[in-house]
Amino acid sequence: MPERRLHNALHKLLGDRIAWGFSTANLTTLGVGGPAWGLARPENEGELAAVVAECRAEEWPYMVIGCGSNLLFPDAGYRGLLIKLRPGFEKFELDGNGILRAGAGAKVSAIVSAGLSCGFSGMECLSGIPCSMGGALIMNAGSGGGAVSDCLTRLDYMDSAGQVFRIGKANLNIEYRRLGGIPQGGIILGAEFQLLPTPPLAIKARLDEMTAQRRKSQPQGVRSAGCFFKNPAGESAGRLIDQCGLKGFQIGGARVSEAHANFFVNMGKATAADFLQLMNAVIEKVHKERGLILEPEVHIVGSGNAN
Ligand code: EPU
């Protein structure tokens, strides 16, 4: 039975760093989604390559996840293996010249703090975003007019055959909320950045200003995936949804936030289907009233196989 063979192989490889039947709701900030077949936590590149090779040999879908702050899994769950690059890939170092090397599993909150205490700026755009460096890079995450790619110098990834590559910034396709140029199936392992020497007080002032702005304009202490849609060129998705009168609009347990219309909030018992219906209803209304088609920033995960 191929599945048993795969279970045994992954247990042998990872010991207690493999769990079966893991709830995707517990892995995401939205808090919805059914079970994944398994959750693997490889410690290093060798283990990661071996996990990928095992999945590929049995044609099991697999997917790397970070902090789950931008993912919507279906209620049916994920028929495949989720891979979390923690704790093995979470190290980062910032040297005296402002060169930051960070593993894909590094928490961006720790990196933002390190920049502040060492007097190097460039990562403030990630403050308040609950994500790992790998997730931030894939999304080219950012705020306050900046993005994680601004200070990027190079990126390391593993292709689906387990080979590691290093790619310079010039060879990546950097777009708003998207980092292209990594081949299909490539897994980000880490990246290097050149940060700028800046007085800590100036960094602190910037961080404080961003926090205050966030507290004023975005919902706090609720389950959401941050902004649900990308901003259309020259427009704000939040403003468009707001202008369509959709603040507070709710389907099942999923609601358009009253604080910021581009945030969809889990009111407690939402399902993935509620969020998908809410998303479609919002897209339809904004299209009808404003003639623009909103594109999700949140990654809508399929149930496996087709990913
Ligand atoms: N606005 C409304 N109603 C709303 C929300 C916004 O009228 O419900 C108006 C605001 O008054 C403002 C404009 O729309 O005039 C833009 O709003 P905001 O400053 O909140 O910025 P945003 O474009 O909605 C972007 C990022 C956020 C980031 C903020 C601050 C995207 C999709 N969103 O939001 O990032 O925190 O700027 O820098 O790029 C995220 O990506 O998950 C995210 C939250």
Side-chain angles (χ1 to χ4, degrees):
M1 206 172 127
E3 253 181 46
R4 178 153 300 281
R5 200 203 66 74
L6 184 56
H7 274 233
N8 291 342
L10 291 175
H11 264 299
K12 198 165 159 209
L13 194 65
L14 301 171
D16 62 1
R17 285 177 288 106
I18 175 95
W20 302 107
F22 213 93
S23 158
T24 59
N26 292 337
L27 290 171
T28 57
T29 55
L30 272 179
V32 297
W37 278 353
L39 174 69
R41 296 172 196 265
E43 274 283 25
N44 51 46
E45 290 174 14
E47 280 189 7
L48 174 62
V51 168
V52 168
E54 291 292 353
C55 288
R56 281 165 57 86
E58 300 293 354
E59 296 183 349
W60 260 40
Y62 59 90
M63 174 180 167
V64 176
I65 60 166
C67 296
S69 57
N70 223 16
L71 291 173
L72 173 53
F73 281 98
D75 295 315
Y78 181 71
R79 283 182 237 109
L81 187 72
L82 298 176
I83 302 173
K84 212 164 157 92
L85 301 180
R86 284 266 187 85
F89 293 80
E90 68 187 346
K91 294 190 195 84
F92 71 89
E93 56 181 31
L94 175 56
D95 74 13
N97 297 315
I99 295 175
L100 168 71
R101 292 185 190 88
K107 271 195 186 157
V108 302
S109 54
I111 292 175
V112 173
S113 301
L116 171 62
S117 51
C118 300
F120 286 105
S121 69
M123 288 289 137
E124 300 82 77
C125 62
L126 294 180
S127 86
I129 304 181
C131 64
S132 61
M133 183 48 85
L137 284 162
I138 283 279
M139 289 299 305
N140 193 16
S143 63
V148 66
S149 59
D150 295 349
C151 295
L152 181 71
T153 50
R154 64 148 228 253
L155 182 147
D156 297 336
Y157 71 90
M158 182 182 284
D159 72 2
S160 49
Q163 237 193 304
V164 174
F165 294 86
R166 181 160 287 186
I167 184 165
K169 183 177 186 176
N171 294 316
L172 291 163
N173 302 324
I174 294 167
E175 294 170 27
Y176 164 66
R177 295 293 183 267
R178 188 177 168 273
L179 195 80
I182 303 162
Q184 179 86 7
I187 296 173
I188 295 179
L189 301 171
E192 192 177 284
F193 303 84
Q194 177 66 65
L195 306 189
L196 292 171
T198 308
L201 276 178
I203 301 176
K204 171 98 172 48
R206 174 104 183 96
L207 289 173
D208 288 348
E209 187 195 324
M210 289 170 70
T211 306
Q213 182 57 30
R214 218 172 27 247
R215 290 212 176 115
K216 206 168 74 181
S217 64
Q218 299 179 1
Q220 306 293 313
V222 291
R223 299 201 79 147
S224 83
C227 282
F228 201 93
F229 296 104
K230 296 181 184 180
N231 282 341
E235 258 296 358
S236 156
R239 185 167 37 218
L240 289 167
I241 300 167
D242 191 358
Q243 287 169 345
C244 290
L246 289 168
K247 273 187 173 172
F249 177 57
Q250 186 165 338
I251 293 184
R255 183 183 183 97
V256 176
S257 165
E258 269 106 346
H260 191 299
N262 198 14
F263 280 65
F264 289 2
V265 176
N266 184 342
M267 298 304 285
K269 292 199 172 129
T271 61
D274 294 340
F275 278 105
L276 292 171
Q277 278 182 49
L278 188 67
M279 173 185 86
N280 289 327
V282 168
I283 291 175
E284 203 179 308
K285 180 121 190 208
V286 170
H287 183 224
K288 202 165 142 205
E289 295 200 2
R290 304 303 308 274
L292 285 167
I293 298 181
L294 293 178
E295 191 192 329
E297 176 182 309
V298 169
H299 178 43
I300 317 286
V301 184
S303 56
N305 304 324
N307 284 299

PDB file of all heavy atoms in Angstrom, residues 14 34 58 89 115 208 212 286:
ATOM      1  N   LEU A  14      11.466  11.931   9.942  1.00  0.00           N
ATOM      2  CA  LEU A  14      11.191  13.123  10.763  1.00  0.00           C
ATOM      3  C   LEU A  14      10.848  12.821  12.224  1.00  0.00           C
ATOM      4  O   LEU A  14      10.780  13.747  13.038  1.00  0.00           O
ATOM      5  CB  LEU A  14      10.034  13.926  10.145  1.00  0.00           C
ATOM      6  CG  LEU A  14      10.236  14.416   8.706  1.00  0.00           C
ATOM      7  CD1 LEU A  14       8.941  14.981   8.153  1.00  0.00           C
ATOM      8  CD2 LEU A  14      11.324  15.478   8.641  1.00  0.00           C
ATOM      9  N   GLY A  34     -10.545  22.484   6.630  1.00  0.00           N
ATOM     10  CA  GLY A  34     -10.580  21.108   7.152  1.00  0.00           C
ATOM     11  C   GLY A  34      -9.170  20.559   7.355  1.00  0.00           C
ATOM     12  O   GLY A  34      -8.184  21.292   7.258  1.00  0.00           O
ATOM     13  N   GLU A  58       5.254   9.361  -4.544  1.00  0.00           N
ATOM     14  CA  GLU A  58       3.893   8.804  -4.373  1.00  0.00           C
ATOM     15  C   GLU A  58       2.833   9.721  -4.976  1.00  0.00           C
ATOM     16  O   GLU A  58       1.646   9.519  -4.763  1.00  0.00           O
ATOM     17  CB  GLU A  58       3.584   8.611  -2.882  1.00  0.00           C
ATOM     18  CG  GLU A  58       4.520   7.681  -2.152  1.00  0.00           C
ATOM     19  CD  GLU A  58       4.417   6.229  -2.608  1.00  0.00           C
ATOM     20  OE1 GLU A  58       3.517   5.918  -3.425  1.00  0.00           O
ATOM     21  OE2 GLU A  58       5.248   5.430  -2.156  1.00  0.00           O
ATOM     22  N   PHE A  89      14.567  26.369   9.991  1.00  0.00           N
ATOM     23  CA  PHE A  89      14.909  27.422   9.039  1.00  0.00           C
ATOM     24  C   PHE A  89      14.657  28.817   9.614  1.00  0.00           C
ATOM     25  O   PHE A  89      14.522  29.772   8.878  1.00  0.00           O
ATOM     26  CB  PHE A  89      14.075  27.259   7.761  1.00  0.00           C
ATOM     27  CG  PHE A  89      14.410  26.016   6.974  1.00  0.00           C
ATOM     28  CD1 PHE A  89      13.900  24.776   7.341  1.00  0.00           C
ATOM     29  CD2 PHE A  89      15.224  26.090   5.861  1.00  0.00           C
ATOM     30  CE1 PHE A  89      14.203  23.637   6.613  1.00  0.00           C
ATOM     31  CE2 PHE A  89      15.532  24.964   5.121  1.00  0.00           C
ATOM     32  CZ  PHE A  89      15.023  23.721   5.504  1.00  0.00           C
ATOM     33  N   GLY A 115      16.448  44.969  13.589  1.00  0.00           N
ATOM     34  CA  GLY A 115      16.796  46.173  12.818  1.00  0.00           C
ATOM     35  C   GLY A 115      16.760  47.402  13.710  1.00  0.00           C
ATOM     36  O   GLY A 115      17.661  48.250  13.672  1.00  0.00           O
ATOM     37  N   ASP A 208       6.379  53.421  15.351  1.00  0.00           N
ATOM     38  CA  ASP A 208       5.272  53.908  16.191  1.00  0.00           C
ATOM     39  C   ASP A 208       4.167  54.517  15.338  1.00  0.00           C
ATOM     40  O   ASP A 208       2.982  54.302  15.577  1.00  0.00           O
ATOM     41  CB  ASP A 208       5.778  54.948  17.206  1.00  0.00           C
ATOM     42  CG  ASP A 208       6.605  54.305  18.303  1.00  0.00           C
ATOM     43  OD1 ASP A 208       6.589  53.067  18.396  1.00  0.00           O
ATOM     44  OD2 ASP A 208       7.279  55.044  19.052  1.00  0.00           O
ATOM     45  N   ALA A 212       0.356  53.158  15.078  1.00  0.00           N
ATOM     46  CA  ALA A 212      -0.776  54.029  15.402  1.00  0.00           C
ATOM     47  C   ALA A 212      -1.763  54.050  14.230  1.00  0.00           C
ATOM     48  O   ALA A 212      -2.980  53.961  14.414  1.00  0.00           O
ATOM     49  CB  ALA A 212      -0.276  55.435  15.706  1.00  0.00           C
ATOM     50  N   VAL A 286     -18.665  45.097  -6.379  1.00  0.00           N
ATOM     51  CA  VAL A 286     -17.690  46.128  -6.775  1.00  0.00           C
ATOM     52  C   VAL A 286     -17.607  46.190  -8.307  1.00  0.00           C
ATOM     53  O   VAL A 286     -17.521  47.273  -8.901  1.00  0.00           O
ATOM     54  CB  VAL A 286     -16.303  45.857  -6.132  1.00  0.00           C
ATOM     55  CG1 VAL A 286     -15.234  46.769  -6.715  1.00  0.00           C
ATOM     56  CG2 VAL A 286     -16.379  46.021  -4.618  1.00  0.00           C
TER      57      VAL A 286
END
